[in-house]
């Protein structure tokens, strides 16, 4: 049952010390009631408050972790839309391996780790689909786990095979999928014995509701839900209904992360289905096979959707060396918004020159936003360059600014006597031709 701000406030210390970032305990209580603050942000919360509010502020979508060496948390979401606060745990993108597939493929999946905007992206789990008997399936699963150490999603033909395979990867926090009401009791025993997670399924939402309610009442709650839908529109609708029921109507029986196997038989349709899961509340999304082109698209989308809109991703403000610059190498400046930094540094690198890149503190804003907010001005850039004592490393007396803020060139020159300001391109993509036509020509 959700508590009101007034009820929460009565459980807080009442000292208005402001350490939680709110001006009063009442303001903090109102934020908690709106699910925009967590009790852990108040360092003086009593044990009683932790007990009462801990239960009341339990996320409406239950958190569960899969994996032990590569751990992926799921669930714990508190909002329908990212702009309300932030999404907490990104969906896990998994790849299916049919039993008997070459182990080299498992190795490829494990080693697929592209880096984008400073973040290493990876496949979070491997689903193994049974093709042989219980013994061969268990042996295959054990070998895949041994090779990858990724949590597995066991897709067995019957409960006996699920039992053997789970035992073969016991303690890996893998997922036993396709658990229907008929095999639920036995599956719970296996999951408890081997420390695994269960993905329960039923033909409709009511069936899932009954099954999760029963398992929770019986004391097992490490659950995922596997909806059985038959079209993209139905998937979209079902995911949305379940999330809304959990968040807005406090229906705990639907407050679990989901698992979905995708296999439409057409790669483009598979990608569209996976995009729908990532955009609309998916938990684990299993792709039918390993295709780096498809994966990078989906991992990039997930990175964009699951970036906290309140905290732009940013790089450390400092003087960066691109390549192996010397004291006479060109100097560029841009903001500390990660995407901007990686685009600009990448384009400088691609042009084949070595250079210095000044990244002042701009609170993670992009160039125009930082300039509009007064965080990327001639004065602030000059101040930062003095603070980092750039002159101790660099003799160059020219600095290239982004084309979109050509208007700060005069102010920057005024604040940096002896420096000449060059206006670079507006788009990072034009950096290479700028470097070749303006800098290298000199
Ligand atoms: Fe009140 Fe705790 Fe916030 Fe201090 S930190 S103002 S005691 S809620």
């Amino acid at each position: 049952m959700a508590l009101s701000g007034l009820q929460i406030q009565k459980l807080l210390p009442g000292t208005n010390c402001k350490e939680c970032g709110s001006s009063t305990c009442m303001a903090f209580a109102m934020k908690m009631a709106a699910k925009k603050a967590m009790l852990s942000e108040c360092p003086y919360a009593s044990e009683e408050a932790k007990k009462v509010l801990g239960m009341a502020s339990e996320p409406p979508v239950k958190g569960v972790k899969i994996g032990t060496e590569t751990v992926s948390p799921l669930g714990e979401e508190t909002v329908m839309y990212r702009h309300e606060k932030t999404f907490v745990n990104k969906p896990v993108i998994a790849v299916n391996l049919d039993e008997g597939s070459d182990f080299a493929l498992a190795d490829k999946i494990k080693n697929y780790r592209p880096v984008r905007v400073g973040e290493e992206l990876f496949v979070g789990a491997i689903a193994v689909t049974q093709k042989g008997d219980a013994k061969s399936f268990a042996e295959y699963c054990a070998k895949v786990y041994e090779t990858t150490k990724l949590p597995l999603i066991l897709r067995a033909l019957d409960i006996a095979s699920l039992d053997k395979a789970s035992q073969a990867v016991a303690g890996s926090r893998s997922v036993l999928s396709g658990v229907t009401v008929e095999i639920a009791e036995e599956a719970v025993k296996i999951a408890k014995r081997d420390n695994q997670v269960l993905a329960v399924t039923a033909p409709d939402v009511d069936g899932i509701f009954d099954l999760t309610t029963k398992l929770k009442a019986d004391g097992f709650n490490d659950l995922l839900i596997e909806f059985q839908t038959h079209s993209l529109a139905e998937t979209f609708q079902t995911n949305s209904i379940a999330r809304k029921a959990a968040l807005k109507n406090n229906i705990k029986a639907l407050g679990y992360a989901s698992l979905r196997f995708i296999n439409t038989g057409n790669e483009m349709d598979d990608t569209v289905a996976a995009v729908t899961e990532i955009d609309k509340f998916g938990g684990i999304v299993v792709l039918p096979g390993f295709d780096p082109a498809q994966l990078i698209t989906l991992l990039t989308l997930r990175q964009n959707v699951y970036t906290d809109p309140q905290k732009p991703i940013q790089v450390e403000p400092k003087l960066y060396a691109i390549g192996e610059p010397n004291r006479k190498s060109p100097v560029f400046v841009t903001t500390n918004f990660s995407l901007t930094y990686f685009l600009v540094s990448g384009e400088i690198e691609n042009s084949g020159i070595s250079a210095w890149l000044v990244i002042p503190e701009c609170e993670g804003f992009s160039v125009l936003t930082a300039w509009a907010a007064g965080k990327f001005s001639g004065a602030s850039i000059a101040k930062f360059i003095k603070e980092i004592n750039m002159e101790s490393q660099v003799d160059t007396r020219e600095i290239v600014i982004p084309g979109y803020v050509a208007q700060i060139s005069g102010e920057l020159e005024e604040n940096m006597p002896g420096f000449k300001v060059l206006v670079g391109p507006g788009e990072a993509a034009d950096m290479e031709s700028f470097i070749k036509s303006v800098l290298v020509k000199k």
Side-chain angles (χ1 to χ4, degrees):
M1 184 73 191
L3 297 180
S4 69
L6 211 57
Q7 287 168 315
I8 295 171
Q9 192 251 347
K10 285 183 185 152
L11 290 156
L12 294 174
T15 55
N16 301 332
C17 71
K18 302 187 176 62
E19 284 189 40
C20 55
S22 297
S23 51
T24 61
C25 292
M26 186 64 207
F28 182 70
M30 297 306 287
K31 275 197 202 166
M32 271 193 73
K35 299 199 186 318
K36 290 190 170 159
M38 307 279 277
L39 186 63
S40 55
E41 291 165 45
C42 168
Y44 307 108
S46 68
E47 286 309 313
E48 193 208 346
K50 281 182 192 157
K51 198 169 153 220
V52 178
L53 294 176
M55 278 159 65
S57 64
E58 215 176 63
V61 180
K62 188 185 177 292
V64 66
K65 286 185 178 146
I66 61 164
T68 50
E69 296 206 12
T70 303
V71 180
S72 293
L74 291 157
E76 294 186 71
E77 301 300 338
T78 57
V79 294
M80 286 293 289
Y81 305 106
R82 192 182 82 140
H83 61 260
E84 291 176 63
K85 189 178 177 194
T86 182
F87 288 156
V88 182
N89 289 317
K90 50 192 172 215
V92 169
I93 296 181
V95 171
N96 179 68
L97 268 188
D98 284 345
E99 180 193 341
S101 307
D102 193 340
F103 288 112
L105 197 51
D107 214 42
K108 267 191 193 161
I109 296 169
K110 179 187 98 179
N111 293 320
Y112 178 73
R113 289 185 168 257
V115 175
R116 185 177 176 273
V117 208
E119 185 189 346
E120 191 179 54
L121 308 171
F122 53 87
V123 172
I126 294 185
V128 187
T129 301
Q130 184 179 7
K131 294 291 173 189
D133 60 21
K135 186 168 172 283
S136 69
F137 181 54
E139 284 169 0
Y140 188 81
C141 289
K143 188 94 188 279
V144 172
Y145 183 65
E146 201 184 293
T147 309
T148 64
K149 295 293 179 202
L150 289 170
L152 303 185
I153 299 154
L154 304 177
R155 205 178 187 193
L157 295 170
D158 50 55
I159 187 71
S161 303
L162 201 56
D163 185 358
K164 264 197 183 336
S166 171
Q167 204 163 11
V169 296
S172 58
R173 289 297 281 170
S174 289
V175 179
L176 315 188
S177 75
V179 175
T180 58
V181 66
E182 290 80 16
I183 60 167
E185 209 172 305
E186 214 167 327
V188 166
K189 283 187 201 147
I190 299 168
K192 279 186 178 167
R193 180 193 69 200
D194 299 335
N195 188 22
Q196 318 283 34
V197 174
L198 292 186
V200 298
T201 190
D204 53 32
V205 174
D206 289 348
I208 287 190
F209 179 100
D210 293 343
L211 192 46
T212 56
T213 305
K214 182 183 176 320
L215 294 184
K216 189 180 176 191
D218 291 347
F220 191 83
N221 207 20
D222 283 345
L223 301 174
L224 299 170
I225 48 185
E226 208 179 323
F227 293 115
Q228 296 177 21
T229 55
H230 307 285
S231 69
L232 196 59
E234 195 191 348
T235 300
F236 183 99
Q237 199 177 29
T238 308
N239 283 9
S240 305
I241 288 170
R243 182 56 55 89
K244 200 167 176 190
L247 259 54
K248 302 289 177 199
N249 305 100
N250 206 23
I251 297 176
K252 298 270 187 214
L254 294 177
Y256 296 94
S258 66
L259 164 68
R260 182 172 301 277
F261 291 94
I262 287 172
N263 195 355
T264 65
N266 173 299
E267 193 173 17
M268 195 55 82
D269 290 342
D270 287 343
T271 306
V272 171
V275 164
T276 307
E277 288 291 323
I278 293 167
D279 283 346
K280 280 291 166 196
F281 318 123
I284 302 178
V285 187
V286 184
L287 302 171
F290 176 67
D291 175 358
Q294 186 185 45
L295 275 168
I296 194 66
T297 309
L298 297 172
L299 289 165
T300 301
L301 171 73
R302 185 186 70 174
Q303 193 181 31
N304 289 339
V305 174
Y306 280 77
T307 299
D308 186 344
Q310 295 169 65
K311 288 186 210 142
I313 36 174
Q314 42 190 290
V315 294
E316 187 193 347
K318 65 176 191 181
L319 179 65
Y320 286 84
I322 312 293
E324 291 175 354
N326 57 35
R327 299 191 69 88
K328 293 190 184 321
S329 297
V331 178
F332 296 80
V333 63
T334 192
T335 74
N336 71 331
F337 176 42
S338 276
L339 197 56
T340 304
Y341 167 80
F342 284 105
L343 281 173
V344 172
S345 60
E347 291 299 333
I348 295 173
E349 222 172 321
N350 288 344
S351 75
I353 63 160
S354 290
W356 298 100
L357 181 55
V358 178
I359 300 289
E361 170 61 84
C362 303
E363 295 181 16
F365 291 143
S366 59
V367 170
L368 274 178
T369 314
W371 170 74
K375 313 224 173 269
F376 193 62
S377 63
S380 68
I381 295 169
K383 184 167 170 275
F384 181 78
I385 287 174
K386 276 194 197 102
E387 277 167 15
I388 59 171
N389 195 16
M390 186 176 85
E391 291 183 27
S392 67
Q393 282 176 268
V394 186
D395 293 333
T396 312
R397 289 295 172 264
E398 275 183 355
I399 184 163
V400 182
I401 62 170
Y404 284 129
V405 288
Q407 61 273 41
I408 68 168
S409 60
E411 187 195 356
L412 185 56
E413 279 185 356
E414 261 172 43
N415 282 277
M416 293 185 63
F419 271 77
K420 186 177 170 203
V421 174
L422 300 178
V423 177
E427 297 296 332
D430 298 325
M431 186 63 89
E432 197 174 334
S433 61
F434 169 82
I435 289 171
K436 286 186 177 147
S437 61
V438 179
L439 294 185
V440 178
K441 259 191 174 177
K442 285 182 167 193

